[in-house]
Amino acid sequence: MESQSQKDSLHRASSECTNPSCFFCSMNEQDLSLRKAKLARCFREMPQRDDQEHVLVLRGIWNIAMTQPDDPEFPSLGIFECMGKLIQRAVKDRQWLLRDQNIYIPYYAAHIIGSYTMNKVQFAEKAVNSNAVLPLIELLRGKISWVEQRVAVRSLGHLASHATTFEAIAEHEVEIIKLAMEISCNCIKTVYRRFVGVKDSKRVKYHSDLLTTGLGDLEIENRKAEEWASQLQCWSLYLLNCFACKGRSLNLICNKHFLKELCGMWGGLANCASPGGIGCIRTLCDFKAGRESLANSKEVMEILCNTSRSSDDWQYMAIDCLLLLLKDTDTRYIVIHAAASSLADLVELRSLKERKKVGEAITQALLQDYHKIKYGDLKLSSQDAERALKETWDLMVERRKREELMSEEELRERKDLVGMLKQEGNKKFWSGQIEKAVTTYTKALDLCPLKMRKERIVLYSNRGQSYLLLHNAEAVISDTTRALCLSSTASPHRKSLWRRAQAYDMKRVS
């Protein structure tokens, strides 16, 4: 099979081309005004013509759109109307779609629209005015296959991201949101069922060719298909987030089942434009209806708590969500019951990514009205939550005050005593007296001055290891998280990372 560049060269070299609407001849025209006129005619006539070179032409345009998405030439000459009509023809005329290599046309056409509308709002406006939205929605409905859905949802996401073209997408709001929700939930299974899980000989050939440009083996095909499935999910979430950011259709997006599914959609990190599942949850936290739905979902709260005490790249986002839910008086006490114990482990976290004083923000949110609890004016129904708030108050307020009044001599005495207790705890641990080791490490932590961060890291981590042997996963996660908060985010305490991972595995198994 000849490569595209070889075919292009042969076509350009041909002196016998008599087609006045030939794309390649138009591109070779030296006179700028004639070139534009010929290209405009080419784009105008292409959807009506039957030409075996359509796919070759679209691949050439796709390459240009991918490498030069901000070039105004093609958008100014009718490229969007041309691509929209080609998609419509593919959807309506099955016989034409299956002729020659026309099956490739809707994929490239939708991809071209998405590439040109990615950055330039004026290009997006041209696409909308050229009636490109409805053809893309047809592909989003799955009229052809998941491969075309992927590029259609990408294009619609770009159009929805621009303020001046959002409403053109919002005219089909309910259907688009329902389709994007369905795709994001099912696309991984769909791609496996229709491609990855299918025998090589029975796979749709043009899918294989698009995935690897016809040059990859089975392993590369599978890997690429999984990558595309992830992208399909990411772009569906991006499209949903465009509506959520404006507070649109929250009654649909905040569906209880969907929120539960959303928690598991952690893709998107490789694509900086995608919010991922937790990014959508963070967006919902900006709205009263969103906060209420999230706070009342046990599954969402559990995932946010687990992610806040993790080394996941979304950790800061999970903490953000919990803080926003705590600040709302209508959701505060629901969240306190669910998240106080998790957040109490993070109060000494100094920085996270570019954010400073994260622990202080958490402390303030937790202790916002602690005086009501302390003096009996407010009673929490959860003893664990009340205990977590009291521990936070004692650690971050009372203990700080006491230690500020300590003399240097008293601090040295404390340091010596802590060292002795740590050694004693280690001896009990290695002799198999695990519960006694926990008690000793606890005494050492109660006495250890807050400024002795390195010593406290080791004590928390050692007690976490003891709890691991006692199969107390929650206590392990708590202690190792506290150790990691005290260590540097750039160089986290490795033993604590490993022990926390083991504890999360223990929870999943149980």
Side-chain angles (χ1 to χ4, degrees), residues 502-510:
Q502 288 178 293
Y504 273 121
D505 284 341
M506 187 184 294
K507 281 185 72 175
R508 279 190 286 271
V509 170
S510 61

Side-chain angles (χ1 to χ4, degrees), residues 67-113:
T67 56
Q68 304 171 54
D70 299 336
D71 188 331
E73 183 178 31
F74 288 176
S76 69
L77 299 176
I79 191 69
F80 296 120
E81 187 173 1
C82 176
M83 296 301 108
K85 287 182 176 179
L86 284 170
I87 294 171
Q88 285 284 37
R89 185 174 182 183
V91 170
K92 292 181 178 179
D93 189 345
R94 188 77 177 173
Q95 190 175 1
W96 176 82
L97 178 65
L98 298 178
R99 190 184 308 154
D100 299 323
Q101 291 189 312
N102 291 349
I103 191 69
Y104 294 88
I105 288 176
Y107 170 84
Y108 284 120
H111 212 312
I112 289 164
I113 294 171

Side-chain angles (χ1 to χ4, degrees), residues 242-250 287:
C242 288
F243 286 91
C245 284
K246 298 179 184 297
R248 303 282 289 256
S249 292
L250 296 185
F287 301 93

Side-chain angles (χ1 to χ4, degrees), residues 35 88 99 113 119 150 178 184 197 205 211-212 221 248 262 267 311-312 331 348 373 447 463 466 493:
R35 169 190 163 99
Q88 285 284 37
R99 190 184 308 154
I113 294 171
N119 302 325
R150 169 180 165 270
K178 287 182 177 179
S184 63
K205 183 180 182 301
L211 284 162
T212 65
E221 269 187 24
R248 303 282 289 256
L262 194 60
S311 298
D312 194 287
T331 58
E348 292 190 270
I373 299 170
L447 291 170
R463 192 172 70 174
S466 301
H493 191 244

Side-chain angles (χ1 to χ4, degrees), residues 91 94 137-145 149:
V91 170
R94 188 77 177 173
I137 292 176
E138 291 278 41
L139 296 182
L140 189 70
R141 291 169 180 152
K143 288 294 181 70
I144 300 180
S145 79
Q149 272 186 329

Side-chain angles (χ1 to χ4, degrees), residues 172-369:
H172 312 275
E173 182 169 345
V174 173
E175 182 183 15
I176 286 177
I177 286 177
K178 287 182 177 179
L179 284 169
M181 289 169 63
E182 181 185 349
I183 292 168
S184 63
C185 289
N186 299 321
C187 62
I188 306 296
K189 287 183 266 185
T190 297
V191 174
Y192 182 83
R193 188 175 67 252
R194 296 183 180 174
F195 190 84
V196 177
V198 176
K199 289 182 179 179
D200 185 23
S201 59
K202 294 185 178 180
R203 290 182 174 180
V204 179
K205 183 180 182 301
Y206 88 95
H207 286 180
S208 298
D209 289 343
L210 287 172
L211 284 162
T212 65
T213 62
L215 301 174
D217 58 18
L218 190 62
E219 183 181 349
I220 295 174
E221 269 187 24
N222 288 342
R223 188 164 63 246
K224 196 70 176 177
E226 290 168 1
E227 181 184 322
W228 279 23
S230 178
Q231 290 172 354
L232 178 53
Q233 186 178 72
C234 288
W235 283 115
S236 298
L237 294 177
Y238 180 81
L239 181 56
L240 281 174
N241 204 54
C242 288
F243 286 91
C245 284
K246 298 179 184 297
R248 303 282 289 256
S249 292
L250 296 185
N251 59 321
L252 293 176
I253 299 172
C254 289
N255 172 277
K256 186 176 181 180
H257 174 72
F258 180 67
L259 290 179
K260 180 180 176 181
E261 293 287 320
L262 194 60
C263 287
M265 300 179 194
W266 303 119
L269 289 171
N271 185 340
C272 60
S274 172
I278 199 165
C280 288
I281 291 172
R282 170 61 183 82
T283 298
L284 294 174
C285 287
D286 287 332
F287 301 93
K288 175 70 77 175
R291 291 192 294 272
E292 290 177 354
S293 297
L294 295 170
N296 285 294
S297 171
K298 181 180 177 181
E299 293 83 4
V300 171
M301 294 308 304
E302 183 177 353
I303 289 291
L304 288 177
C305 288
N306 287 342
T307 308
S308 70
R309 296 187 301 174
S310 74
S311 298
D312 194 287
D313 286 328
W314 292 117
Q315 182 188 7
Y316 75 97
M317 194 83 80
I319 293 172
D320 255 8
C321 292
L322 292 172
L323 292 181
L324 287 168
L325 293 170
L326 284 174
K327 289 176 182 177
D328 186 332
T329 55
D330 292 328
T331 58
R332 174 172 174 76
Y333 295 105
I334 301 173
V335 178
I336 280 283
H337 293 157
S341 296
S342 297
L343 288 174
D345 295 333
L346 300 165
V347 294
E348 292 190 270
L349 183 61
R350 287 180 291 184
S351 63
L352 192 59
K353 289 188 177 285
E354 297 176 358
R355 302 180 181 219
K356 306 296 182 185
K357 300 182 179 180
V358 178
E360 290 185 21
I362 294 171
T363 301
Q364 290 173 9
L366 285 175
L367 300 180
Q368 178 180 312
D369 49 8

